[in-house]
Amino acid sequence: MLSIELFHRIWKALRRAQQRYQSRRQLLGLDDRSLKDIGVSRADAYREGHKRFWE
């Protein structure tokens, strides 16, 4: 049972990392007007978008 639980935890961690990666890529794809609408500067979007997947 322990191995199944461990696999499940690893799977969830990988899934979260993938979701963060996708969200950050989408953030980088926004134009300046959209970033302004959500209160994020281009520099902040760049910094967030280029983080490593585990951060």
Side-chain angles (χ1 to χ4, degrees):
M1 288 296 186
L2 182 62
S3 62
I4 293 172
E5 183 180 331
L6 179 61
F7 176 78
H8 183 65
R9 286 182 181 186
I10 292 170
W11 180 257
K12 283 175 61 176
L14 290 172
R15 185 74 177 121
R16 282 191 309 267
Q18 180 187 26
Q19 289 171 339
R20 279 193 302 265
Y21 175 81
Q22 289 175 343
S23 296
R24 289 172 176 161
R25 293 292 128 192
Q26 289 174 344
L27 183 63
L28 287 174
L30 294 177
D31 61 9
D32 289 334
R33 181 174 167 239
S34 297
L35 289 172
K36 185 178 179 181
D37 285 347
I38 62 172
V40 177
S41 70
R42 173 61 58 196
D44 290 340
Y46 181 85
R47 210 171 10 261
E48 184 66 29
H50 286 91
K51 285 184 178 179
R52 294 178 182 96
F53 70 90
W54 60 84
E55 296 181 300

